[in-house]
Amino acid sequence: MTQDIQNPSRPPRLIDPKALAHRRARAQLDQAGFLQEEAQFELQERLLDVNRSFKSPAIVTPFPDFWANFLPGARIVPDAEVLDLEPAAHDLVIHAMGLHWAEDPVGQLVQCRRALQPDGLMMVAMLGGETLSELRAVLAEAEASVMGGLSPRVAPMGEIRDLGGLLSRAGLSLPVADRIPRRVTYQTALHLMRDLRDMGETNALAARHRAIPPRALFAEASRLYAEHFPAEDGRITATFELVFLTGWAPHESQQKPLRPGSAAHRLAEALETTEFDEGAQPVPVIKKDPI
């Protein structure tokens, strides 16, 4: 990891900001924007459920062109360490598909919360911890075999139970976190890696290996991927996890949560349904072919 020269007391950086900006600048979301499109669809569904008219929305995103027309009149704010947001200026702030790369995610949410008017809505769409679990495994195995060691090649991403807690730490009320896993198939691991480049989601970790890796590394990773994570028709499978966070700027009109354990009835009984394990449900499959 790299040390902050201007502030030696600051902990070593996890993310290389220059590398991240470069990765995002070369993204081609017209080729690989399906996760961004799904995030937009899910956010729109959640906004419809809220059933409120927002007059001064803001969208924080590293992909301003892609999100420019998502909400009429929304202010598009670059995804930076210090966000260009005025205090109490917005009734809705959306942090769109960038928080998983934040050096200080709580700090990002605090800045968004301060930009909200009382009872304003905060929404986040981001990638979660199950994303690219297969690629992490095969790259680690291939690097150990070919190069005799390991280096960070896929950014760590938060688990949903931890991400939900960020909302409360940022001072937001009525926090909700949910996830949508997506299984995507590719012809080979190399096709997946090319898609990640077009998404702007390739390795920007400060501690990444800087030398050009040998060709044998990715050849071995591709072989291992096909062996360990096969899909139908000779393809390979990749998991992406979209996580959505929702919270509200505190206001006296909001309902107060009950004391833990004080509920008289189970939620499943009230809904006349049964509880279920979300992870046991079938995950939709997307077949991604190169363009």
Side-chain angles (χ1 to χ4, degrees):
M1 294 185 182
T2 58
Q3 188 76 28
D4 190 332
I5 297 176
Q6 295 180 342
N7 183 7
S9 64
R10 177 175 176 165
R13 281 186 171 272
L14 175 65
I15 309 299
D16 180 343
K18 291 184 178 179
L20 181 59
H22 176 68
R23 307 293 192 264
R24 288 170 167 176
R26 71 182 183 186
Q28 300 184 62
L29 296 182
D30 58 329
Q31 306 266 348
F34 65 97
L35 291 176
Q36 303 278 338
E37 291 171 354
E38 180 136 12
Q40 289 185 344
F41 174 80
E42 292 295 335
L43 287 169
Q44 193 66 56
E45 290 291 297
R46 286 159 173 75
L47 286 170
L48 290 173
D49 289 341
V50 170
N51 193 26
R52 180 184 294 191
S53 177
F54 296 98
K55 294 181 169 50
S56 55
I59 301 175
V60 178
T61 180
F63 304 107
D65 292 342
F66 198 91
W67 288 84
N69 299 317
F70 178 64
L71 288 176
R75 182 161 181 259
I76 306 298
V77 178
D79 178 20
E81 285 194 23
V82 179
L83 300 176
D84 185 18
L85 291 169
E86 296 293 330
H90 302 283
D91 54 3
L92 169 66
V93 175
I94 296 175
H95 205 301
M97 296 300 284
L99 195 65
H100 52 278
W101 279 110
E103 190 78 35
D104 178 14
V106 175
Q108 290 278 300
L109 293 177
V110 167
Q111 292 180 71
C112 292
R113 190 257 300 161
R114 289 174 178 168
L116 284 170
Q117 300 163 3
D119 203 32
L121 176 62
M122 172 83 214
M123 303 182 80
V124 176
M126 63 186 296
L127 295 177
E130 292 187 14
T131 298
L132 300 176
S133 56
E134 304 90 351
L135 184 61
R136 295 172 198 271
V138 299
L139 283 176
E141 186 175 348
E143 192 165 17
S145 173
V146 173
M147 302 178 68
L150 296 177
S151 66
R153 293 190 176 274
V154 180
M157 300 177 193
E159 301 296 331
I160 187 168
R161 63 179 64 87
D162 301 319
L163 294 174
L166 298 182
L167 296 168
S168 297
R169 290 176 61 191
L172 290 156
S173 300
L174 307 175
V176 175
D178 66 288
R179 58 182 285 272
I180 297 178
R182 285 292 178 261
R183 179 173 167 249
V184 185
T185 68
Y186 290 88
Q187 288 186 13
T188 68
L190 297 180
H191 287 87
L192 164 61
M193 294 177 199
R194 188 175 73 180
D195 228 25
L196 293 174
R197 175 185 171 122
D198 289 342
M199 292 178 190
E201 296 288 349
T202 49
N203 192 355
L205 293 170
R208 70 190 184 281
H209 201 291
R210 305 301 177 103
I212 298 176
R215 291 186 177 180
L217 173 64
F218 293 110
E220 176 66 2
S222 187
R223 183 191 71 79
L224 290 169
Y225 209 128
E227 177 182 330
H228 295 323
F229 303 105
E232 57 279 0
D233 301 326
R235 299 166 68 86
I236 56 102
T237 187
T239 299
F240 294 93
E241 182 185 39
L242 286 169
V243 172
F244 298 91
L245 310 177
T246 304
W248 296 83
H251 188 263
E252 61 183 11
S253 66
Q254 292 168 355
Q255 62 187 34
K256 302 298 186 291
L258 295 174
R259 178 176 53 83
S262 62
H265 302 281
R266 300 173 69 86
L267 178 60
E269 295 173 355
L271 298 177
E272 297 183 351
T273 184
T274 57
E275 297 178 1
F276 64 92
D277 178 4
E278 182 182 17
Q281 303 304 302
V283 177
V285 179
I286 301 171
K287 186 175 182 180
K288 186 68 170 63
D289 288 313
I291 297 176

